[in-house]
Structures are given as C-alpha cells and as structure tokens.
Amino acid sequence: MRKKKVHSVAKSLGLSSGALIKLLQQIGIKAKGHMSTLTEEEIKKVKARISEEKRRVKKEFTHRWTKPKPREKRKKINKEEITATVKSTLAKLQKKEPKKHYKKETPIRTEQKIEEKVVEVTDFMTVAELAQTLNLPPAQIIKKCMDLGLMVSLNQRLDIDTILVLCDELKCKVKVVSLEEQFSAGGEEYEMISRPPVVTVMGHVDHGKTTLLDAITKLRVAEREYGKITQKMAAYQIIYNEKKITFLDTPGHEAFTAMRARGAQVTDIVILVVAADDGVMPQTIEAIDHARAANVPIIVCINKIDLPNANVNRVKNQLAKANVLIEEFGGKSICVEASALKNIGISDLLDAILVKAEELDLKAPINKLAKGVIIEARLDRGKGNVSTVLIQEGILHKGTPFVCGAHSGRVRELLNERMEKMSEAGPSTPVFVLGFSGLPPAGEIFFAVESEQKARELAAQREIIERNRKLAPKSKLTLLDLQEKIKAGETKELKIILKADSAGSVEALDEKLQELSMDDIVIRIIHKGVGKINVSDVLLAEVTGAICVGFHVGPASNALEAAEKEGVEIRTYRLIYEALEDLRAAMLGMLEPKLQEILIGEAEVRAIFKIPKGGTALGCYIKDGKAIRNSVVRLIREEKELAKTKVVSLKRFKEDVKEVVAGYECGIGLEQTPEVQKGDILRFYKIVEEGKEDG
Ligand code: GDP
C-alpha cells in the first residue's frame, strides 16, 4: 500500500501540516511530524472526518448568519454588505475562494472551532479579522464595542484585553495565541532539543559593554582560530567549554525593547555591566527595568575592577537598592567581577552564562518549519539585501521559502560571519540570509513556509494588515483610556514611567504616587529616572501598557515622534500636586478631558538684542518642528525649565510671519522677557483638547 507524507496529504486537503497532525490525534492516529507517513486507510478516515466537520460548520455558519435581526436598520445591512465585499476582496487577494473562509491560512483555528468551539485570537486583530474569526457580522462587534464605550472602525486594531472582554460578552470561547503560533500551526507535539542561550549585554554608557564583547570575541578568535571575520554580525556565537553561546551585539536598551514591541522575545539572559568605579547609573537602572519588564534573568558583571578607585561592595549595595539581589546577598542574580580591558573574569562570566542557561533549560522545537527574528538588515553592494536572522525554532535550509513581514522569498544563501556558505542553521544560530525582496525592520519575525506561493499569499496579506494598521486610527494608550479600563474593571494597575529633572524630585514623586495606591487599584512605577523622556522610555511604556509622566522634563523630540507613532501618552507636569491630582482622578474615574500642550518645535537662542524702547528680541534658529506666533513657549536651559510665556512676535528679515519651520533663523519676541542666554532652548507648544491632537 502506498504511503503518503503528512505534509503532502495536508497540502492536498488544503490544511496545514500542524492542523492535520492535531486532527490525526483527535481520531487516534499517531503522527509525530509533517514528515511522518499515512496509509490510504488513514487518509480515508481523515477525509471522512473533514467532510463531517464541514457539514457541521456549514450548518452553524448558516444558522448564525441567518439569525433574524428584525429591528436592524438598513444602515447595518449595508455595513455587512461592505464587509462581505471587503472579505471577498481580501480572499481574492489571497487567491482563495471567498466562501471557504474556514479553510484559510490558519486552518487550525477552524478546526478547533469545529471541535470545541474555541477560536484562536491574537493581540491587535482588527475588528474585521475578529469578526471573521468569530464568524460574526462585523457590525455586531462594532456595536458591542459601542456598548463598552469604544468607538471603533472596521480596520481598527484591538488590544487583547478588549478582544477578551468582547469575546466574553459575545459568549465565544477563545484562546489567545501569538501571531507566531498562528503561523506555525501545531504545537506541543514537536521534538524539543536543547539550544544555546541568547545573551544581550546592557548597562550604562562607558561602563565597558563594547570592550566586554570585544574581549569575548578575541577569546573566540583565539580559541577557534577563526580566520579574519569579514563581516561584523549583529549577533554571533562562541563556543566555550564545548557549549555554544549566542551574543547579541545590539547594545542599547531601545533595540532590546523595540524587538519586544514587535513581539520578539529574543534574549534569554541579560548581562548587566556596571563599572566598579562609577557604580549604578541611570542607564543601569533603565537596563534593570527593561530586563525586568521582559522577565529576563540578569547576570551582573562588575567591570573595571582593575581601576584603583574600583569599589565592588558599593556597587553590590547600590544594586541591592535597585532590587537586584546578587547570590552573595541571598538573591538569584549571579555576580561576576571582571575587567574587560585586562581580560580578568571573562571565563567566570562565560561559566556563569552556562550555569544560568542550564538552569533555564532552554529548548527549541526542531522538526518544524523554521522561525527566527530579524536582528539587523542592510543593503550590501555585492549581495543585495542581507538580513541577520537569529533562528529560534526548527532548522532553516538553503532554498526554503519564507515570509517576513510584508516580504517574502526563498533563502538564496545562508552565510556565516566569515561569509562562508552554510547549508542549514538551527535554533539560537545567527545567520546572514540572502533572498529578501526588501529590508525588514529589526525584530520582525521570520517564518519558513511550505511553499513559495504560500509565502507570497501571506506576505500580501500582511501587507494589507500593515497598510490598515497605518490607516486606522491608532488606539492610544492614554490616562483617559486607562481610567476607562479601571472603571470597567479590566485593569487594577496604573503603570507609569516616571522621569524628572532631579533625583530628588523622582524620589519625592515616586513616594507620593505610591501613596495614591488604593486597596484595589495600585500605581506601579515600571521605570523611574532623571532626564528627558527618551525613545527607550516610550517603547518600554508601549510594551508594558504604561503612560510616561515627566516632571519638569519633556520628551526628547525623537521620543515625541515615537510616542505619536506608538500611541503612548506623555504627560508633563510642573507641580507635584497637579500630577497627583490627575492620577488620583484617573484612579477614581473622574478624569475630565482637558487642555493639553503639544510640543510643536524647538529653537536655539543664538543672539539677544535689547530693544531701545524696552524688552528683548531673540535671534533664534529653529532646530526642530516649527515656531508659531502666539504659541506657548518654554525657556529651557540644561534641561531645566526657567520660564513659560508666549510668542508675541515672529519675524523673518523684519517681516512679520505666522510661522517659521526647522532649518531657518528668525527673530522672536516673548510676552514676558525672562533672563535669556545664548544657547538656551525655546520649546513651542500648541494647546489642544486632550485626545484631539490631530484636529
Ligand atoms: P560602553 O559604552 O559600555 O560600550 O563602554 P566601552 O566598552 O566603550 O568602554 C568605555 C571605556 O572604558 C573605554 O575607554 C574602555 O577602554 C574602558 N574600559 C572598558 N572596560 C574596562 C576595564 O575593565 N578596565 C578599565 N580600566 N577600563 C575599561
């Protein structure tokens, strides 16, 4: 009797191998992976089961769709018509027959639905996708959202909390899966193998991260007599004591959290580098908070112990204060004392990594389609688009079709950092992948798929999702929204990233905010620090669902951009009581929309002219955004706000103008004339009603 492989049977039935494997399990046929074989008898059984399920789905489908809706008005029917058209267009784009929704790229979903009526949902599904998944008219979802006080459009993405509340209201049983799980249907039944740990080095600037990575690289070069490394890779592997360790050479907490923001948990262990002479600094705290928010264990590396003014004990105490308890103090974090420059303690550090890795018992499925994460992508003159992919699951082979965001292709070549060809790469291995149609962003998930056609379909679908994401109004994470969530009982925490102008104010505000916590609603400070609100703060806020609060400090201009893009709210206050009032009001559900200042531009004062009749005119250069006449302006020196007033005159070459944009010089007259110095910064704000920044 001829036997057929699971994957080819799955293909002929229009299912994914994973879905088929699950189905096989349900009917009592054992199949380990998509390379297992099935007899004709078994295939018959499968077919019979599928037809039976199809009948059931059809029945249910018709039942749901034809439910009488006597009081629904024409308008709603139209909406459904529109949705149906949208669906069929989408289906056409995917080159599938519009009617067979339940047989789309994630058959596993349908299958579960049929069996247990449990559907799989992912975070940030659009209303339309959710409707399709639940087999309900989108209008019904939109209506439910309205009942919950949410105004949503068809293409709006919903966060998972909202999705769960909606499903609960609609009495649908759901299971939350990550996008990755959706792609790589199947699951628990894969053969798992141990994999090397993936390590990221973090810490304050100048504490020795680069030197440490260099020391490790040198050790590797010496140990393995690796020839010249031709291309520096953003991730690389070393072999130490016959065990592999993968290092991510992407220092900067932004990169770390940006990857997380895309849903890629890449790092297994964080090495926190703290210089023994300098001690715990703001970015050390930032690194700790980022690692903690990601739930990644920390190994402390106290560096620069060769320096005469090194004070290891002081560092240990400071770390304890920052809640990083090292083993010596009864905690969990391994602490290694090292000098990256003098090559002291490097092997201790590597030993520590191996110990931690063993404790973590890191495993990856092996007999499945490969999955990875983009660490970096760039255009190479000779080779075209080159992406560094860190493989996380399965084994990637040369020639495999893949999809990555809106890009798809076939692995044209796999290269190591010496630009040598590789035939395959397994879990935790970083590789250069050639064959991309464009440059994917770091953190994008890379999926190997069954066929090139499927890769193209998925990429096209993802492109539509991406386009919709850009078009759809971003659901903002604002204090007002949080208030609504608290009211609805969806959250019991108000998460805050707190930045202020001095350590004293950070502590004072932190203490006061903690006092606000009530029995059932608590304030949680995810991260606090001195200085401007930066991109890294915004990203951390995004991934943790926090808002950024600045006290006497504003956002850096790129942070403002990031906040707008990611929909994170930044609230700045000048008085402690204002901040406390707002947050307390939000917790009690009494926050009113209010007027808000939106930063529109920044200028540097380059000259100061005294006007004979009194007052001063400032010769300024607009560095960012624009200055507008009558806008509110804050005078900033060394990140401290000295005054707040208004722009009363704005001139270009003696001409009165309404606004001046970045890159131009202008003369500015202020309503009040504070004591201004050359080099001072003016920040311009417009006043709008909160939540209506775009209007
Ligand atoms: P990064 O900003 O954290 O990447 O720090 P770098 O690796 O660039 O190091 C900053 C400075 O500290 C450089 O001048 C290094 O030479 C120096 N440095 C790094 N590690 C050590 C060390 O173990 N001992 C001493 N004395 N200097 C070090």
Side-chain angles (χ1 to χ4, degrees):
M1 200 185 282
R2 270 194 64 219
K3 286 189 166 190
K4 278 191 175 172
K5 293 239 165 81
V6 165
H7 68 91
S8 69
V9 176
K11 201 172 164 190
S12 66
L13 294 172
L15 293 173
S16 78
S17 316
L20 180 57
I21 292 170
K22 277 215 164 174
L23 200 127
L24 287 168
Q25 281 165 5
Q26 284 159 9
I27 54 178
I29 301 171
K30 272 194 183 157
K32 264 196 175 162
H34 56 269
M35 297 309 281
S36 312
T37 49
L38 297 175
T39 62
E40 275 179 18
E41 194 56 37
E42 286 169 334
I43 297 171
K44 256 189 202 164
K45 276 190 195 168
V46 170
K47 283 185 180 163
R49 176 60 168 244
I50 291 177
S51 331
E52 182 195 321
E53 281 168 358
K54 267 189 194 166
R55 273 196 301 278
R56 269 171 61 183
V57 166
K58 218 171 183 177
K59 220 168 154 190
E60 202 172 297
F61 194 78
T62 352
H63 178 66
R64 286 209 186 189
W65 278 82
T66 51
K67 252 186 193 167
K69 292 187 219 102
R71 285 214 262 145
E72 244 163 8
K73 288 176 196 143
R74 243 194 105 67
K75 210 171 82 195
K76 292 200 176 166
I77 297 164
N78 280 343
K79 264 189 188 166
E80 286 171 29
E81 278 171 8
I82 293 165
T83 320
T85 325
V86 170
K87 272 191 190 173
S88 71
T89 318
L90 268 174
K92 267 182 215 156
L93 275 163
Q94 293 158 17
K95 297 197 185 77
K96 293 230 170 174
E97 289 169 52
K99 270 187 187 167
K100 292 185 182 169
H101 283 312
Y102 53 92
K103 261 178 74 176
K104 283 228 180 99
E105 100 283 353
T106 45
I108 184 79
R109 276 199 257 167
T110 333
E111 185 207 339
Q112 285 213 349
K113 186 179 164 58
I114 306 153
E115 274 307 296
E116 313 142 24
K117 292 203 189 115
V118 173
V119 288
E120 296 190 347
V121 293
T122 56
D123 203 355
F124 300 116
M125 286 178 117
T126 60
V127 171
E129 283 164 355
L130 182 64
Q132 186 176 332
T133 308
L134 299 178
N135 244 341
L136 291 173
Q140 195 171 336
I141 309 268
I142 292 175
K143 186 171 171 296
K144 236 335 144 232
C145 285
M146 278 156 104
D147 293 347
L148 295 171
L150 284 171
M151 296 300 291
V152 296
S153 64
L154 198 62
N155 290 329
Q156 190 157 335
R157 290 192 175 270
L158 304 169
D159 60 32
I160 198 66
D161 294 336
T162 314
I163 292 175
L164 290 178
V165 172
L166 281 170
C167 292
D168 193 43
E169 289 273 319
L170 292 162
K171 308 252 181 302
C172 297
K173 273 195 185 169
V174 290
K175 182 179 155 214
V176 184
V177 296
S178 63
L179 191 65
E180 297 100 275
E181 280 176 291
Q182 264 205 340
F183 268 82
S184 45
E188 304 96 47
E189 289 310 308
Y190 292 110
E191 185 191 330
M192 306 293 276
I193 55 153
S194 291
R195 63 172 179 86
V198 180
V199 180
T200 303
V201 178
M202 292 166 93
H204 194 73
V205 64
D206 274 351
H207 279 197
K209 297 180 291 292
T210 318
T211 317
L212 183 68
L213 281 166
D214 280 352
I216 293 167
T217 314
K218 269 187 222 143
L219 179 121
R220 168 185 60 156
V221 173
E223 210 179 64
R224 300 197 63 197
E225 291 184 290
Y226 264 126
K228 201 168 153 256
I229 293 170
T230 42
Q231 188 67 58
K232 198 167 180 295
M233 209 183 228
Y236 55 79
Q237 231 171 27
I238 69 159
I239 297 184
Y240 175 74
N241 280 350
E242 294 169 9
K243 294 239 165 71
K244 287 179 180 169
I245 305 173
T246 304
F247 284 92
L248 288 190
D249 192 0
T250 49
H253 315 150
E254 269 170 42
F256 180 82
T257 303
M259 287 207 191
R260 283 191 61 223
R262 301 194 146 264
Q265 179 85 327
V266 186
T267 307
D268 301 309
I269 299 170
V270 162
I271 305 286
L272 181 70
V273 178
V274 193
D277 60 330
D278 209 14
V280 170
M281 297 301 275
Q283 279 166 288
T284 318
I285 300 288
E286 195 175 281
I288 295 170
D289 291 338
H290 280 244
R292 196 168 281 152
N295 213 4
V296 177
I298 293 174
I299 293 179
V300 176
C301 173
I302 304 185
N303 190 32
K304 305 199 187 183
I305 54 162
D306 58 300
L307 291 175
N309 55 344
N311 189 341
V312 173
N313 281 333
R314 186 179 63 127
V315 177
K316 288 179 181 169
N317 285 321
Q318 287 173 333
L319 284 169
K321 267 196 204 144
N323 272 329
V324 177
L325 267 195
I326 57 169
E327 285 177 330
E328 198 182 314
F329 291 5
K332 271 191 168 177
S333 295
I334 306 178
C335 176
V336 176
E337 294 166 26
S339 165
L341 200 65
K342 300 263 159 76
N343 252 321
I344 304 168
I346 306 297
S347 46
D348 291 344
L349 181 65
L350 297 175
D351 283 332
I353 295 173
L354 292 182
V355 167
K356 196 79 210 171
E358 197 158 313
E359 190 185 308
L360 293 173
D361 192 23
L362 303 163
K363 293 239 157 73
I366 192 78
N367 54 338
K368 63 173 293 196
L369 289 167
K371 199 199 95 189
V373 178
I374 301 292
I375 304 295
E376 186 187 60
R378 61 188 164 73
L379 192 63
D380 183 284
R381 272 208 188 153
K383 298 194 163 53
N385 297 323
V386 181
S387 299
T388 309
V389 180
L390 178 76
I391 307 297
Q392 294 188 300
E393 291 177 359
I395 296 182
L396 183 65
H397 298 272
K398 187 183 160 181
T400 307
F402 66 83
V403 57
C404 182
H407 303 286
S408 68
R410 190 176 269 279
V411 178
R412 192 151 52 80
E413 209 68 79
L414 285 173
L415 300 171
N416 65 17
E417 63 197 298
R418 274 158 290 134
M419 287 298 173
E420 290 163 355
K421 292 179 183 172
M422 296 162 77
S423 57
E424 56 174 47
S428 295
T429 312
V431 272
F432 287 127
V433 175
L434 270 55
F436 273 81
S437 55
L439 293 176
E444 190 66 80
I445 318 277
F446 172 100
F447 299 98
V449 285
E450 286 147 18
S451 67
E452 225 165 335
Q453 191 202 345
K454 175 138 182 184
R456 275 196 300 274
E457 280 169 15
L458 285 173
Q461 199 190 0
R462 302 260 310 221
E463 205 179 339
I464 296 169
I465 292 178
E466 200 49 42
R467 212 179 313 142
N468 284 344
R469 198 200 302 259
K470 278 185 193 140
L471 291 177
K474 183 100 192 174
S475 61
K476 276 208 156 195
L477 187 69
T478 65
L479 195 55
L480 273 173
D481 297 336
L482 282 173
Q483 161 172 304
E484 290 309 314
K485 283 194 173 182
I486 290 172
K487 267 193 197 166
E490 288 170 36
T491 180
K492 304 225 170 304
E493 276 184 335
L494 193 56
K495 294 180 189 162
I496 292 171
I497 310 273
L498 175 65
K499 296 298 280 280
D501 57 339
S502 71
S505 10
V506 173
E507 290 315 318
L509 208 58
D510 181 17
E511 198 176 301
K512 291 275 175 213
L513 287 174
Q514 304 286 3
E515 283 170 14
L516 280 185
S517 288
M518 305 169 192
D519 285 346
D520 46 353
I521 308 162
V522 294
I523 290 212
R524 215 174 111 206
I525 311 282
I526 303 283
H527 170 64
K528 57 182 177 180
V530 179
K532 275 189 191 183
I533 294 167
N534 56 33
V535 176
S536 155
D537 295 325
V538 170
L539 291 172
L540 189 60
E542 192 209 346
V543 296
T544 53
I547 61 160
C548 295
V549 171
F551 183 65
H552 281 197
V553 292
S557 58
N558 55 352
L560 193 74
E561 240 172 67
E564 295 221 330
K565 195 162 143 249
E566 310 301 344
V568 169
E569 184 175 34
I570 294 180
R571 286 200 163 228
T572 53
Y573 298 98
R574 299 193 61 212
L575 297 167
I576 283 199
Y577 90 85
E578 272 180 5
L580 296 179
E581 280 294 293
D582 263 15
L583 296 169
R584 183 184 292 125
M587 289 167 82
L588 293 172
M590 294 175 347
L591 192 69
E592 298 283 344
K594 62 170 193 181
L595 296 180
Q596 199 185 13
E597 291 180 356
I598 305 283
L599 183 63
I600 50 168
E602 191 173 289
E604 185 186 312
V605 178
R606 296 209 164 154
I608 298 152
F609 310 101
K610 283 261 177 277
I611 297 171
K613 283 179 199 160
T616 31
L618 307 175
C620 296
Y621 173 73
I622 311 291
K623 289 165 65 180
D624 234 327
K626 57 187 172 184
I628 299 182
R629 189 152 29 116
N630 291 330
S631 56
V632 169
V633 59
R634 291 174 192 270
L635 175 68
I636 312 283
R637 187 177 305 150
E638 285 165 3
E639 275 321 306
K640 287 230 166 74
E641 185 183 319
L642 301 181
K644 180 179 164 186
T645 174
K646 215 170 145 184
V647 176
V648 283
S649 78
L650 192 59
K651 285 183 196 291
R652 286 261 311 142
F653 305 114
K654 306 208 167 154
E655 287 271 306
D656 276 316
V657 286
K658 271 197 176 149
E659 62 171 60
V660 180
V661 295
Y664 290 98
E665 292 188 326
C666 59
I668 292 177
L670 302 178
E671 194 172 55
Q672 288 146 22
T673 19
E675 192 230 325
V676 185
Q677 290 178 9
K678 270 191 207 174
D680 284 352
I681 298 292
L682 296 180
R683 289 211 183 109
F684 308 97
Y685 296 83
K686 66 175 174 182
I687 311 276
V688 290
E689 193 177 297
E690 192 173 67
K692 295 198 177 159
E693 294 89 330
D694 305 321

